[in-house]
Coordinates of all heavy atoms in Angstrom, one line a residue:
A506 N 39.4 -24.9 19.2 CA 39.8 -23.5 19.3 C 41.3 -23.3 18.9 O 41.7 -22.2 18.9 CB 39.6 -23.1 20.8
I507 N 42.0 -24.4 18.6 CA 43.4 -24.2 18.3 C 43.6 -23.3 17.1 O 44.6 -22.5 17.1 CB 44.1 -25.6 18.0 CG1 44.1 -26.4 19.3 CG2 45.5 -25.5 17.4 CD1 44.7 -27.8 19.2
S508 N 42.8 -23.4 16.1 CA 42.9 -22.6 14.9 C 42.8 -21.1 15.2 O 43.2 -20.2 14.4 CB 41.9 -23.0 13.9 OG 40.6 -22.8 14.4
Q509 N 42.2 -20.7 16.4 CA 42.0 -19.3 16.7 C 43.3 -18.7 17.3 O 43.4 -17.5 17.5 CB 40.9 -19.1 17.7 CG 39.5 -19.7 17.2 CD 38.5 -19.7 18.2 OE1 38.6 -19.0 19.2 NE2 37.5 -20.5 18.1
L510 N 44.3 -19.6 17.7 CA 45.5 -19.1 18.4 C 46.6 -18.8 17.4 O 46.7 -19.5 16.3 CB 45.9 -20.1 19.4 CG 44.9 -20.5 20.5 CD1 45.4 -21.6 21.4 CD2 44.5 -19.2 21.3
N511 N 47.5 -17.9 17.7 CA 48.6 -17.5 16.8 C 49.8 -18.3 17.2 O 50.4 -18.0 18.3 CB 48.8 -16.0 16.9 CG 49.7 -15.5 15.8 OD1 50.6 -16.3 15.3 ND2 49.6 -14.3 15.5
P512 N 50.4 -19.2 16.4 CA 51.6 -19.9 16.7 C 52.8 -19.0 17.0 O 53.8 -19.5 17.6 CB 51.8 -20.8 15.5 CG 50.5 -20.9 14.8 CD 49.8 -19.6 15.1
A513 N 52.8 -17.8 16.5 CA 53.9 -16.9 16.6 C 53.9 -16.3 18.0 O 55.0 -15.7 18.4 CB 53.9 -15.8 15.5
H514 N 52.8 -16.3 18.7 CA 52.7 -15.7 20.1 C 53.3 -16.6 21.1 O 53.3 -17.8 21.0 CB 51.3 -15.4 20.4 CG 50.7 -14.2 19.6 ND1 49.5 -13.7 19.9 CD2 51.2 -13.5 18.6 CE1 49.2 -12.7 19.1 NE2 50.2 -12.6 18.3
D515 N 53.8 -16.0 22.2 CA 54.1 -16.7 23.4 C 52.8 -17.0 24.1 O 52.0 -16.1 24.3 CB 55.0 -15.9 24.3 CG 56.4 -15.8 23.8 OD1 56.7 -16.5 22.8 OD2 57.2 -15.0 24.4
I516 N 52.6 -18.3 24.5 CA 51.4 -18.8 25.1 C 51.6 -19.4 26.4 O 52.5 -20.3 26.5 CB 50.6 -19.7 24.2 CG1 50.2 -19.0 22.9 CG2 49.3 -20.3 24.9 CD1 49.6 -20.0 21.9
V517 N 50.9 -19.0 27.5 CA 51.0 -19.7 28.8 C 49.6 -20.3 29.1 O 48.6 -19.6 29.0 CB 51.4 -18.8 29.9 CG1 51.3 -19.5 31.3 CG2 52.8 -18.2 29.7
V518 N 49.6 -21.6 29.4 CA 48.3 -22.3 29.6 C 48.2 -22.5 31.1 O 49.2 -23.0 31.8 CB 48.2 -23.6 28.9 CG1 46.8 -24.2 28.9 CG2 48.7 -23.5 27.4
Q519 N 47.0 -22.3 31.7 CA 46.8 -22.5 33.1 C 45.5 -23.1 33.4 O 44.5 -23.0 32.7 CB 47.0 -21.2 33.9 CG 46.0 -20.1 33.5 CD 44.9 -19.8 34.4 OE1 44.2 -18.8 34.3 NE2 44.6 -20.7 35.4
C520 N 45.5 -23.9 34.6 CA 44.2 -24.4 35.1 C 44.3 -24.3 36.6 O 44.9 -23.4 37.1 CB 44.1 -25.9 34.7 SG 45.4 -27.0 35.3
R521 N 43.6 -25.2 37.3 CA 43.6 -25.1 38.8 C 44.9 -25.4 39.4 O 45.4 -24.7 40.3 CB 42.5 -25.9 39.3 CG 42.4 -25.9 40.9 CD 41.2 -26.8 41.3 NE 41.1 -26.8 42.8 CZ 41.8 -27.6 43.6 NH1 42.7 -28.5 43.1 NH2 41.6 -27.5 44.9
S522 N 45.5 -26.6 39.0 CA 46.7 -27.1 39.7 C 47.8 -27.4 38.7 O 48.9 -27.7 39.2 CB 46.4 -28.3 40.5 OG 46.0 -29.4 39.6
G523 N 47.6 -27.2 37.4 CA 48.7 -27.5 36.5 C 48.6 -28.8 35.7 O 49.4 -29.1 34.9
V524 N 47.6 -29.6 36.1 CA 47.5 -30.9 35.4 C 46.8 -30.8 34.1 O 47.4 -31.3 33.0 CB 46.7 -31.9 36.3 CG1 46.5 -33.3 35.6 CG2 47.5 -32.1 37.6
R525 N 45.6 -30.3 34.0 CA 44.9 -30.1 32.7 C 45.7 -29.2 31.8 O 45.8 -29.5 30.6 CB 43.5 -29.5 33.0 CG 42.5 -30.5 33.6 CD 41.2 -29.8 34.0 NE 41.4 -29.0 35.2 CZ 40.4 -28.3 35.7 NH1 39.2 -28.2 35.1 NH2 40.6 -27.6 36.8
S526 N 46.3 -28.1 32.3 CA 47.0 -27.2 31.4 C 48.2 -27.9 30.8 O 48.6 -27.5 29.7 CB 47.3 -25.9 32.2 OG 48.0 -26.2 33.4
A527 N 48.9 -28.8 31.5 CA 50.0 -29.5 31.0 C 49.6 -30.3 29.8 O 50.4 -30.4 28.8 CB 50.7 -30.4 32.1
S528 N 48.5 -31.0 29.9 CA 48.0 -31.7 28.7 C 47.7 -30.9 27.5 O 48.0 -31.2 26.4 CB 46.7 -32.5 29.1 OG 47.0 -33.4 30.2
V529 N 47.1 -29.7 27.8 CA 46.7 -28.8 26.7 C 48.0 -28.2 26.1 O 48.1 -28.1 24.8 CB 45.8 -27.7 27.2 CG1 45.7 -26.6 26.1 CG2 44.5 -28.2 27.6

């Protein structure tokens, strides 16, 4: 799905506790 995201945008990644989202 990375190709669907815009590198120029500000992006915040979230999960349940912050562990998985930190890896992403």
Side-chain angles (χ1 to χ4, degrees):
I507 291 179
S508 61
Q509 303 172 22
L510 302 177
N511 189 336
H514 287 189
D515 287 352
I516 298 175
V517 177
V518 190
Q519 59 105 164
C520 65
R521 179 180 180 272
S522 64
V524 176
R525 286 172 286 178
S526 53
S528 298
V529 171

